[in-house]
Each structure stands twice: as structure tokens, then as C-alpha cells.
Amino acid sequence: MNKKSQINLLYFMVTMLVLLTFQSWWGERQSYRPIPYSQFQTLLVEGKIEEVRIGLNQIRGTLRVAAPNIGRQFVTTRVDLDLAEDLAKHGVRFAGTIESTLLRDLLSWFLPVLLFFGIWMFVIRKVAERQGLGGMMQVGKSKAKVYVETDTKVTFDDVAGVDEAKAELREIVDFLKDPDTHGRLGARIPKGILLVGPPGTGKTLLARAVAGEAAVPFYSISGSEFVEMFVGLGAARVRDLFEQARQHKPCIIFIDELDALGKARTIGGFGGHDEKEQTLNQLLAELDGFDPREGVVLLAATNRPEILDPALLRAGRFDRQVLVDRPDRPGRIAILKVHLDKVTLGDDIDAGAIAGLTPGFTGADLANLVNEAAIIATRRDGESVSMEDFTQAVERVVAGLEKRSRVLNPHERSVVAHHEMGHALVAMSLPGADPVHKISIIPRGTGALGYTIQRPTEDRFLITRSELENRIAVLLGGRVAEDIIFSEVSTGAADDLDKATGIARDMVTRFGMGLGNVTYEPQRQAFLGEAAMPGWQPHDYSEETAREIDCAVRDLVDKAYETAKSVLTSERATLEQGAAMLLEKETLSGEEIPRPKAAQYS
């Protein structure tokens, strides 16, 4: 029963109650004719009254013979006996009256009801809504938001850098608009499409663009909105969502963060009757139950495909999985052009140069970068956003906020200057290393006392063994510089050592570059990084092999250390010159850095 029907039923019941009350009062009033109490006493003295019924405030009676203007039945209000005698002696006509208590009686009934209703509305209902019980009549209803093409104001023109994913979704939109043309050869529309990829790559934006392009209802809901406190509510909402979709076909259902709903079922624990498993089972049943010819398409997004239930990913449920990955250089340029149109730009802005500074950035990162650059330009009271503003924005996003208040003593500044110059000289001396864009000894972020930024000239998808070894050597260049100049090392290379060890371990265990053409650890598929994986995993190799892996990793790092040491020993004069310039200027661009004399690559 909907809300309107409930209100109409309430009005009907109140109206009937009022009518019945009025009918009872009016019928009673027509049966008994009210008379004054003094007339009652006169009739009593004259012997005309046959019988009476005495109440607390009233006396009802019947006359022996009907009297004019009274009839046989009468009612009178009682008066105090002593007062009645005094009034009768003086010939005063008197009658009793009863004070009306109707309002008091009604308030005594309705005020407690209203009080409890108010407590429910303002206290209990809010608590119940937080626990997933708000609106008991709506507890099993879907919370999906319904959009039409004019609601989102986002189209495929607003989405850049993911052309393949757009092509897949554009085909679905066209299929919904003109199913006869696209199904003329017997093709059917896919039941479900799963958008997978790292956070910030534009999965939800793509779904909103579908809503903007498709002239059909678009149901949008998050996977977490199905999961409630009590078992069965999530499953009821899944049923209600698909029922609504069938009533408004053709349409699209979009479930964001599908992993909150479709996490793989496990054996053990609390068994198979918990809320999430029942909700997932209901979703699987619904996916099997609806016919794609009805024009209902399920669109979902997740950045954790590795934890989804295999039964959810099989063909016939999610027929397609579309990867929405980090954009390459042309994709970053296209994304930047979309966001650069919204800010005032200087004449020196080059979207290609900005894309070269941002390898690995997602669409959300690039949008944030443009906003940061605009904020920096506004802070300096600029008329437009310049290329230098974008350079500072990249440094802020990558390295963190400048900490000029973090004052280092002269010795620490000298150590940091030689450390960063060591990174730069090794990178400029070894072939295959990315060009150095900028070095600085201004502290940034939570722990970085300096930084060296390298800018790749192109996107790379294959890396050779020698290039990986050179990357390790560049990472160790700072520690080597400290060792050469100060004859001791500091804690400043902790992050460099961690990254270098990680590259060396991947070379041995994943890339077959240390102990023969064998891999010892599987490739991790988590889009959320290593933190998304369990902290400990069993290994399929012996303790002896584990020792060999450790020795091979150490040999790779030691070899790279010697390479960096050889470069910086021969370039000690350039190292000290560059460190002196850093101590003076604090920041050096790629053109200002002294060139190594024996550089093989620049």
C-alpha cells in the first residue's frame, strides 16, 4: 500500500467515527425530551411520573400519560436537594446543567497518542533509520535513485582517455534505443557489464555519461545500500529493484562499489545465512531470472575484482568486463583538455608537457592537478594559470606540501644536498634512465627532506633487465653520495632502499631475472595496491629456495650499488659543485643541473 492510499484510509476512518458519534448523540436526544428540574418536581408532586432511572448527573423518566410539548419520555439534570427546596419556596423556575467534558475527554485520549507519535517521529525513527529500519512500510524497498537523460548533464563528450570503454558502453546505449536494428542478426543485449579498474579512473563518471546519453530510466545505487543490519532486508531490496526495473523497461541498473555486495562467499564462520550472502544469492537469482530481451541492463563498477564471487563473474550474469585503466599519454592529454577548458590559461600552457609530468595519474588525479594549479595561480594574484603553476602543483601532489618551517642544521642540509645530487648524477649518467626534471632540498610532506623528479619521455610497457638494474642504481645514488663525501650513511635513504629492494625482489621472483626462468610469486591483481592483499601468504618453494632468493636479491642490489659508486666516484667534482649550487638556490631545474663529464645519456 502506497503512502497516498494510507492517508485516504485514515481520513475515511476518522470520518466514520465522527458520523457514528453524532448519530448516537442525535438519536438519544430525539428519544428523551429535556425538561427543567423544577418542572420535574411539579410532575412528581402531581403523580404524573410512572418510572425514573437515576444517574450521577441526570434523571431519565417516563410519564404515565403523554404531556404536551414533552411526550412520555423525558430527561432532566439533577440539582442539589436543599437548594431546590429553597428555590421552590420562592417560586423560582430552575434547571440543572452539566458542564461539557468532551474537549477534556478528547484531549485525554489524543494527547498521549500525539506524544508517543512525536517521540517516534523525532527520536526513535532517526535511530531506526541509522540501523536500517526507518520506515517500516518501506523497509524492503529499493533506495535506488532514478535518473533520466536530463538529470546528470554528463555525456560521453565529458569523458576522455577511455575510448575503448566508451565504445563498449555506447553500443549498449544504441542497443537500448534501437533494439531491432542491433538485433537483426540474432544478437542479444548483454545482461551485465562490469567496469573494473583503479580508483579515480572514471568508472562512475562513465555510468553517469550512460545516464546522460540513454533516453531510458537509469537506476543508480551503491552496493553498500543493500547490506542492512537484519537478515533478509538486502535480498528484499534486490527483488524490489529488479521489479521496478521490469516495470520501466527498457532501463539500466547501475550498482556502484559492487564488492560491498558481491564479495566471495567463504566456508565456515557464521555459515551461509548472514545478510551479505543472502543478498548476493538473491542478486544471482535475479540475474538468472530476467530476460535480456526485456531491455534491462545491469551496469556495475568495482576496483576490487579479485574478491568478487566467481558465480557473479561468469558469462550469463556479467557478460562483459571492461577495464578502465590509468590513461596513457594521449589519454592524459585528452583528459587535461577537458579540465583545462574550465580555467583561465596562460600562453605558455602545453597539455603535452603537463601529460609528460604526470605518468601514472588517473583522471581524478588530473582534475585535482588542474584545480591545484588554479589555486596556486590565484594565491599569487596571477591573471592566468601558467606552466610554472602546473609544475608546482605536480610537486605538491607527488611530494606533498612544502615545509619551509622545518629548519635543518647546516650539516643536515649538506647531507640532503649531496644525497639528491647523487640521485640526479647517476640518473644522468646511465642509459635508459628517465631525464631529471627538477631537484630540491626544500622539505615536503611528512618525511621527505628533499626530492628528485624525473620525467619520462614516453609511456613504457616493457622494461629490460639492464633498465631495471639502472633504476636500482639511481635509487641508491643518494646513499652512495653520502658514503663518498661523508664516509658514513644516514637514515635518509630508507625509502630508497625499500623501493630498490622491491624492484630487485620482483626481478627474482616474478620476472625470472635472478634464479633462472622460473617465477616464485604470482602476479598481484589488486587495483588498490599491496595493502589490499593479506599480510602473509604461503610460498610454494622450500626454505633453501627462499635463501637463494634472498641472496639473489642482495646480489642485484649490491651490484647496482657498485655501479652508482663507480659513477659518483668519477664525478665527485661535479657532485660537490651541484651540491654547492643546491645549498645556495635550494631548487635546480633540469637545465641548471651540472652535467656529468662522462655521461653516457643526457
Side-chain angles (χ1 to χ4, degrees), residues 130-170:
R130 295 192 188 102
Q131 300 297 329
L133 300 176
M136 296 303 293
M137 299 299 294
Q138 304 291 327
V139 72
K141 299 296 183 181
S142 169
K143 297 182 179 180
K145 299 180 178 68
V146 183
Y147 297 96
V148 293
E149 66 274 13
T150 58
D151 288 341
T152 62
K153 296 181 174 60
V154 177
T155 64
F156 284 140
D157 294 335
D158 300 312
V159 184
V162 285
D163 295 336
E164 295 83 1
K166 284 201 306 184
E168 292 280 349
L169 296 177
R170 190 182 296 276

Side-chain angles (χ1 to χ4, degrees), residues 337-373:
K337 288 181 178 179
V338 171
H339 296 292
L340 290 176
D341 288 340
K342 303 174 184 178
V343 298
T344 304
L345 302 176
D347 297 333
D348 60 340
I349 294 296
D350 183 3
I354 300 174
L357 288 172
T358 54
F361 274 42
T362 64
D365 294 332
L366 294 172
N368 181 55
L369 175 68
V370 174
N371 185 61
E372 286 289 344

Side-chain angles (χ1 to χ4, degrees), residues 110-126:
F110 284 104
L111 280 181
V113 175
L114 291 176
L115 177 62
F116 284 110
F117 182 74
I119 294 175
W120 165 258
M121 288 293 294
F122 295 103
V123 181
I124 301 177
R125 186 179 179 183
K126 292 183 178 180

Side-chain angles (χ1 to χ4, degrees), residues 159-438:
V159 184
V162 285
D163 295 336
E164 295 83 1
K166 284 201 306 184
E168 292 280 349
L169 296 177
R170 190 182 296 276
E171 184 181 66
I172 299 301
V173 172
D174 294 340
F175 215 122
L176 287 171
K177 288 183 175 180
D178 190 5
D180 295 334
T181 301
H182 289 77
R184 68 186 186 278
L185 301 180
R188 61 174 179 82
I189 190 171
K191 275 189 177 182
I193 297 179
L194 180 63
L195 303 177
V196 297
T201 51
K203 299 183 294 296
T204 304
L205 183 64
L206 271 172
R208 293 179 61 195
V210 171
E213 293 282 345
V216 296
F218 184 90
Y219 293 83
S220 176
I221 191 170
S222 173
S224 60
E225 295 188 62
F226 288 106
V227 182
E228 293 291 356
M229 180 178 178
F230 293 96
V231 176
L233 297 185
R237 286 179 178 167
V238 171
R239 289 192 296 270
D240 184 69
L241 174 62
F242 279 85
E243 183 62 31
Q244 291 183 46
R246 291 188 182 94
Q247 293 175 1
H248 298 87
K249 60 187 180 183
C251 66
I252 297 175
I253 301 173
F254 174 60
I255 302 178
D256 200 5
E257 304 297 342
L258 182 65
D259 49 272
L261 169 64
K263 188 176 181 181
R265 295 163 291 185
T266 57
I267 300 176
F270 293 99
H273 299 286
D274 65 298
E275 166 68 2
K276 287 187 178 181
E277 289 196 9
Q278 285 207 18
T279 307
L280 175 59
N281 290 336
Q282 185 63 44
L283 177 61
L284 297 176
E286 292 291 344
L287 286 174
D288 284 337
F290 77 86
D291 189 345
R293 290 174 296 182
E294 295 179 345
V296 179
V297 176
L298 179 62
L299 189 64
T302 182
N303 47 37
R304 302 191 66 187
E306 73 278 0
I307 69 170
L308 294 179
D309 195 282
L312 189 62
L313 299 178
R314 72 163 176 82
R317 286 173 177 156
F318 280 101
D319 297 316
R320 293 185 185 178
Q321 294 188 29
V322 179
L323 176 63
V324 187
D325 207 351
R326 291 182 173 87
D328 54 11
R329 184 186 178 94
R332 293 196 298 274
I333 293 175
I335 295 172
L336 283 169
K337 288 181 178 179
V338 171
H339 296 292
L340 290 176
D341 288 340
K342 303 174 184 178
V343 298
T344 304
L345 302 176
D347 297 333
D348 60 340
I349 294 296
D350 183 3
I354 300 174
L357 288 172
T358 54
F361 274 42
T362 64
D365 294 332
L366 294 172
N368 181 55
L369 175 68
V370 174
N371 185 61
E372 286 289 344
I375 291 174
I376 293 172
T378 304
R379 188 180 296 128
R380 65 173 176 81
D381 294 329
E383 296 294 331
S384 60
V385 183
S386 66
M387 194 66 191
E388 178 60 26
D389 297 324
F390 275 98
T391 302
Q392 294 183 30
V394 171
E395 294 174 10
R396 181 166 184 172
V397 171
V398 174
L401 183 65
E402 283 188 354
K403 298 287 186 179
R404 292 186 177 273
S405 60
R406 186 181 296 165
V407 180
L408 305 180
N409 62 49
H411 175 70
E412 288 179 336
R413 291 185 77 246
S414 179
V415 171
V416 173
H418 286 88
H419 182 104
E420 299 302 333
M421 198 64 202
H423 285 309
L425 287 179
V426 174
M428 297 169 70
S429 301
L430 296 178
D434 295 328
V436 179
H437 175 67
K438 190 175 186 180

